[in-house]
Amino acid sequence: RNQWYFGENAGIDFNPPATSAITDANLMSSAQGASSVSDLNGDLLFYTNGETIWNKNHRVMDNGDDIGGDPNSSQGVMIVPLPNDSSIYYVFTSDPVYGDFTYDMKYAVVDMRKDTAQGEVIVKDVSLFTNSTERLTAFGLGQGITWLVTHEYGNNQFRSYPITPFGIGAPITSSVGSVMRFDEEKTGKAQMKYAAGGGVIALAFQDTDDNYVELFSVADSTGQITGLAKIDIEEPSPSLIYGVEFSSSLQRLYISTNGTNGSNLLQYD
């Protein structure tokens, strides 16, 4: 988490003494989804675009090709460490809704004890469930349990998966909010984010003509999700809402849009 890799060979290093651009020989190539992870010292472990996993030496990790995802998905990949274990990492991936119409949420598993601490993919291309949107987020890291939150495609159902030292548990489902419709594919795109420490999820929603953000309350102990509010950002088509993020103070919500009419960054207090 100290070093971010994204886009076309781009990256940011958040380690002290000062945040800086990464200009190493990384092989990251992703139009959208990307994820990377560092150890407790801030040193890079590995990074991925959802399709390939590269190790800290910028080489394809052992068995790290074709892991099951697609870099053209909005939130195409997320790395989640196994609670209470510094060696095992889940890599969750989502399919693009404009892709091959499989809509799979999948996962791979990385064991950092393998290949002289450079890591090896010991499981890959495993389906978690089908009919998924491109959205995924997670919370609860470091508390003995992590919740992976996803959203089904074709309905308004969230899935909250508990991840414990024993693995991935059965999902807790919550039917709330707007329906992600098959007949309007873009409803399955864009991002959702959890406000760390705030118990709130923001979900960006591209409707037929309008764009809005839905806010949900999430119970840290059960993973259950309930509705809070809906914000019409008042930027109609061809503008498309895409990204959402909370400030560290939880007092502000940032929203990004794109489209043929350009891009904008909005702030809500």
Side-chain angles (χ1 to χ4, degrees):
R1 293 182 290 271
N2 297 62
Q3 299 178 60
W4 292 2
Y5 288 85
F6 56 91
E8 298 300 318
N9 312 114
I12 300 175
D13 190 339
F14 291 92
N15 284 311
T19 300
S20 59
I22 293 175
T23 57
D24 58 19
N26 78 84
L27 299 175
M28 174 61 78
S29 177
S30 179
Q32 297 186 70
S35 190
S36 55
V37 64
S38 302
D39 63 18
L40 294 177
N41 295 318
D43 296 322
L44 177 68
L45 291 176
F46 63 91
Y47 57 99
T48 176
N49 62 1
E51 189 173 56
T52 303
I53 297 177
W54 293 274
N55 64 25
K56 61 185 179 182
N57 295 317
H58 309 304
R59 296 172 182 165
V60 176
M61 185 177 285
D62 281 1
N63 198 34
D65 58 339
D66 299 322
I67 66 169
D70 191 310
N72 293 304
S73 177
S74 303
Q75 292 180 297
V77 60
M78 175 173 284
I79 299 168
V80 177
L82 184 69
N84 302 334
D85 193 313
S86 60
S87 301
I88 303 296
Y89 294 83
Y90 284 104
V91 182
F92 294 97
T93 63
S94 65
D95 275 342
V97 296
Y98 293 108
D100 58 8
F101 308 108
T102 55
Y103 314 124
D104 279 332
M105 182 71 66
K106 296 182 178 180
Y107 69 88
V109 179
V110 170
D111 187 341
M112 288 305 301
R113 296 168 294 191
K114 303 286 188 178
D115 192 24
T116 59
Q118 296 183 86
E120 177 183 326
V121 178
I122 57 174
V123 173
K124 67 179 180 181
D125 201 24
V126 178
S127 178
L128 188 62
F129 73 100
T130 57
N131 287 341
S132 170
T133 67
E134 299 181 7
R135 301 178 177 91
L136 68 164
T137 190
F139 65 91
L141 302 180
Q143 300 174 11
I145 182 172
T146 296
W147 290 96
L148 174 77
V149 181
T150 66
H151 200 291
E152 294 184 11
Y153 202 16
N155 57 37
N156 68 338
Q157 188 158 276
F158 287 88
R159 285 177 170 237
S160 300
Y161 286 89
I163 303 172
T164 71
F166 303 101
I168 304 171
I172 303 299
T173 58
S174 306
S175 295
V176 61
S178 298
V179 173
M180 314 296 168
R181 307 188 309 275
F182 286 118
D183 64 349
E184 189 66 84
E185 288 179 308
K186 63 183 181 179
T187 62
K189 287 193 67 66
Q191 297 181 352
M192 69 175 175
K193 287 292 181 69
Y194 173 79
V200 175
I201 286 177
L203 185 149
F205 192 85
Q206 302 175 5
D207 208 344
T208 304
D209 297 311
D210 301 307
N211 297 284
Y212 48 86
V213 172
E214 291 187 314
L215 299 177
F216 302 91
S217 175
V218 55
D220 291 357
S221 58
T222 66
Q224 200 71 43
I225 295 171
T226 54
L228 279 179
K230 181 177 178 179
I231 303 171
D232 185 344
I233 68 169
E234 299 182 352
E235 284 204 17
S237 180
S239 180
L240 293 171
I241 190 170
Y242 183 82
V244 285
E245 185 60 86
F246 292 94
S247 66
S248 57
S249 67
L250 306 181
Q251 298 300 308
R252 296 180 177 86
L253 174 67
Y254 298 100
I255 300 167
S256 67
T257 66
N258 57 41
T260 56
N261 58 337
S263 301
N264 288 300
L265 178 63
L266 310 178
Q267 175 182 302
Y268 285 82
D269 297 325

